[in-house]
Amino acid sequence: MASESTATKVGHGLAKALGIKLHYRDPTNQEAVLSRGESVFSVSSADQYIEKEPTVAEWFRDIIPSGPQFLHYLYSLFPFTHWIGRYNVQWLFGDLVAGITVGCVVVPQSMAYASLANLPVEYGLYSSFMGVLVYWFFATSKDITIGPVAVLSTVTGNVVANAQKINPGLDPHVVASALAIIAGSIVFFIGLIRMGWLVNFISLAAISAFMTGSALNIAVGQVPTMLGIKPKGWSTRDATYSVVINTLKYLGSSKLDAAMGLTALFLLYVIRYICNFGAKKQPNRKKTWFFVNTLRTAFVILLYTLISWRVNEVHKNGDKKYPFKILEKVPRGFQHAAVPTIDTGIIRSFTSDLPAAVIVLLIEHIAIAKSFGRVNNYTIDPSQELVALGVTNLLGPFLGAYPATGSFSRTAIKAKAGVRTPFAGVITALVVLLAIYALPPVFFYIPSATLSAVIIHAVGDLITPPNTVYQFWLVSPLDVIIFFAGVLVTVFTTIEIGIYVTIATSAAVLLWRVFKAQGSFLGRVKVHSVIGDHIINSNNDKKEHGYDTIPGTDPDTSTRNIFLPLSHIDGSNPEVEVENPYPGVFMFRFSEGFNYPNAGHYLDYFVEQIFKQTRRTNPNSYPKLGDRPWNDPGPRRGKAIEVPVDKPTLKAVILDFSSVNNVDITSVQNLIDVRNQLDLYTAPDRVDWHFACINNRWTKRALASASFGYPSPMNDESFGRWKPIFSVAEIGGSQSVEADTNRKLSKQHTRDVEAARGKSQTRTDVDPIVRNSLSSSEAEERALEIAKADAQRKGRVAVVHGLSRPWFHTDLTSALQSAIANASRE
């Protein structure tokens, strides 16, 4: 204790030397006075409670994981250990069906998407294999299928093309593998530090816009290949509008490829239409129609491969002048497996495109995983999903893979096929492995135009349908503007720029809403609860407002006061009259939080409205003309000051902090400045500041540091007389509400309740809040005695919030009661 005392003395001495005011929160040193309020009930009949303020040490203890928490973190990195021990035959059957079904889809799709990445088709198979094989170890979603996707493949292709312009000697697969490792490392790190919530910063409007714009870009870029048009002096990776113009310009140079592409595209849509129609007409065979529909891509590829083989077989060993373009030789096995090459030159070649690649990698996967998790009634861990995605892209390049992420179409197929666990990915990996080693001779004859048709058909599902856009408009018209802006930018520039524009626009709108948040002044409305055509009435009257009544004793379900904006800005019925809480008392609700971006905007409006609706307490506070400020010069010489007697003087303000989670130095300093401004306005009186619904202990600490939470001193020596009103609740145990409910069955208890009710009857024509606040001291003492007796009968009670800051209230009702009680004392 002696060492602690010495340390305290040293600390106080150091603070004094540095000019630190340790008693800044209690400038008049009136702690003893504050504990002697007029609320006898809160001291005599209730357990006293002083709320402890949070400390920095406590904050560090909350954010630094303990030993058990760290072990749980390590355990959470491998989610498969949570369920693999319970794996059973029924799960295996579901996974077999889903895995084989997805495998039949992923093989042709991945080969097609590899061409979007400017890579040979085998790299798409490598990416698919590693994606489905590695993911299941770290997955928290049973439905997601990782592999090549259209948008990310296009971004990868753009990166490869740009890198080759900078360094023509770079092999495309070297650049793609390096991109996968760097992007995968970033995503993996974000997942390890559990910051997957960053993805939430990207709005749905931004995601829909870039997906729609990218789908249009990809589909238009595949049309020349599907028609057999060879670009001369232009590229299919140019802006979408430019590709459309050039395609139309060279439409006459189409070749036989158009027959293989257009008919394949038509057949894909016809099969899907027939299957969807059949599923509607035959609901009992819906599953069969689903599997037929799912396999349409594999069927079309095999059909046109067969046609190509019959047409081109004679040319394979001859002049090799094929009538239409085919894939030709596809290597068997993992011929490109090697340690990826990464150096500063390669990284420098795609540094500018890296953010776009990472963003696409993140948002596609997380958006799909969350969507299917909600549909199938499970919750994913976004951070763990990023770990899985990162590991997949870190290991994939060792077998030749390029960047991969979650696929919407294959995930939907997997979910509908009845997948049971993430282990289905292993089944899909076996199917892909079979294709890599057994089917390369068949791949030789696949027409390139047919693959382009497969791509166009697949990306068509990524376009946001008009009905969805209309639903966006009903929810938020501003988001629809962002959506169309993102689509147009993508169409007229590039996918990467479209991503940046949509995200930046969404962020700008968010900041604008935060900066320009508009609070509202509240008033009081007495409401009744109605069940059918009966009003719940605690007074047991047979009629009220023309309605029959039913008895009710719970004040929350009978007559009660609610608080609505005076301006009816919330859409409440304008015919309902919202009363001002009390003359000179103002209630203000923050709408978007209260921090440095919007503090000034909030309080400027707050002060402006108070000045409009009140008058200065002492209109003669400036005895001389020269004492008046320049912006309030007063009346002309010889004329008296006009005093608007119909306006009240300012007594108190109540701030509703229900939407405020944290405050900062700027917002608190703004409150201090406004408090000083209003104190000058009401001099020689002071304004009482009440706060309701504070949800954060650090917010209470910050406000208390600025001397909020208790009455403003009338002078430098005393607070004067004041009336603290606290909210109390029963303590649990043998004397809790549950135990008391049983005692209510007693007849003696019923007589006690009736007697107490008769004694506590007061005027009924006055609002309960005003009646309780304005009652005489004798009535208060009598009510307190009854309350104490009732509390002793029911059990012990305790204050809900600390006694040390009586101006911090549980709700608006208690805040208003306290404000009226203390305003009336003057």
Side-chain angles (χ1 to χ4, degrees), residues 316-338:
K316 182 178 180 180
N317 299 319
D319 55 7
K320 296 187 178 181
K321 293 182 179 180
Y322 305 109
F324 45 82
K325 186 178 179 181
I326 58 176
L327 294 183
E328 300 188 42
K329 186 176 181 180
V330 176
R332 185 193 302 271
F334 296 96
Q335 298 296 320
H336 303 284

Side-chain angles (χ1 to χ4, degrees), residues 155-186:
V155 172
T156 302
N158 294 339
V159 170
V160 170
N162 294 336
Q164 287 186 312
K165 290 179 182 178
I166 299 173
N167 189 348
L170 287 175
D171 290 331
H173 76 274
V174 172
V175 178
S177 296
L179 176 64
I181 288 181
I182 299 301
S185 300
I186 295 173

Side-chain angles (χ1 to χ4, degrees), residues 120-122 125-126 329-336 436-437 440 443:
V121 294
E122 62 265 25
L125 296 174
Y126 304 155
K329 186 176 181 180
V330 176
R332 185 193 302 271
F334 296 96
Q335 298 296 320
H336 303 284
I436 291 174
Y437 278 95
F443 297 155

Side-chain angles (χ1 to χ4, degrees), residues 58-94:
E58 179 183 337
W59 182 79
F60 276 110
R61 285 196 299 269
D62 289 339
I63 65 171
I64 297 176
S66 62
Q69 288 175 328
F70 182 72
L71 292 177
H72 181 269
Y73 165 74
L74 294 178
Y75 178 60
S76 67
L77 291 176
F78 303 96
F80 80 96
T81 58
H82 304 176
W83 53 266
I84 193 67
R86 299 175 178 83
Y87 203 78
N88 53 66
V89 176
Q90 188 174 352
W91 287 4
L92 177 62
F93 178 76

Side-chain angles (χ1 to χ4, degrees), residues 161-281:
N162 294 336
Q164 287 186 312
K165 290 179 182 178
I166 299 173
N167 189 348
L170 287 175
D171 290 331
H173 76 274
V174 172
V175 178
S177 296
L179 176 64
I181 288 181
I182 299 301
S185 300
I186 295 173
V187 172
F188 180 68
F189 177 73
I190 295 174
L192 276 183
I193 62 176
R194 292 307 194 238
M195 292 185 67
W197 49 266
L198 285 174
V199 181
N200 296 329
F201 190 72
I202 304 173
S203 68
L204 178 60
I207 296 174
S208 300
F210 106 83
M211 292 293 283
T212 300
S214 300
L216 293 173
N217 180 287
I218 294 167
V220 169
Q222 290 301 304
V223 170
T225 304
M226 185 177 66
L227 300 178
I229 300 173
K230 293 184 178 180
K232 295 180 180 179
W234 57 285
S235 172
T236 56
R237 295 186 179 276
D238 292 339
T240 305
Y241 80 97
S242 178
V243 176
V244 171
I245 293 173
N246 286 308
T247 300
L248 294 174
K249 185 185 298 184
Y250 294 96
L251 196 60
S253 61
S254 301
K255 297 181 180 178
L256 188 60
D257 300 70
M260 304 298 290
L262 290 173
T263 55
L265 182 62
F266 176 76
L267 186 57
L268 285 168
Y269 279 106
V270 167
I271 294 175
R272 185 168 75 173
Y273 174 80
I274 292 174
C275 291
N276 290 337
F277 183 79
K280 291 180 180 179
K281 290 295 184 181

Side-chain angles (χ1 to χ4, degrees), residues 473-548:
W473 176 264
L474 295 178
V475 175
S476 175
L478 193 57
D479 282 340
V480 175
I481 296 175
I482 295 174
F483 169 80
F484 281 113
V487 173
L488 291 175
V489 169
T490 303
V491 167
F492 285 94
T493 56
T494 63
I495 292 176
E496 293 81 0
I497 295 177
I499 293 171
Y500 298 146
V501 167
T502 52
I503 293 176
T505 306
S506 297
V509 170
L510 174 64
L511 291 176
W512 177 75
R513 286 171 173 164
V514 171
F515 273 89
K516 304 297 289 184
Q518 184 69 60
S520 57
F521 285 90
L522 304 180
R524 187 176 54 194
V525 177
K526 182 185 292 186
V527 298
H528 305 262
S529 296
V530 177
I531 298 180
D533 56 353
H534 290 74
I535 291 181
I536 299 176
N537 191 320
S538 59
N539 296 324
N540 296 325
D541 295 334
K542 294 184 178 180
K543 286 284 185 177
E544 186 168 343
H545 301 290
Y547 286 89
D548 293 331

Side-chain angles (χ1 to χ4, degrees), residues 28 34 675 679 685-689 707-715 718-720 807 825:
T28 58
L34 286 177
R675 179 178 61 187
D679 282 345
D685 295 337
R686 296 292 178 90
V687 179
D688 290 336
W689 288 73
S707 299
F708 290 103
Y710 52 81
S712 300
M714 300 300 294
N715 50 57
S718 174
F719 283 86
W807 273 197
R825 79 183 189 273

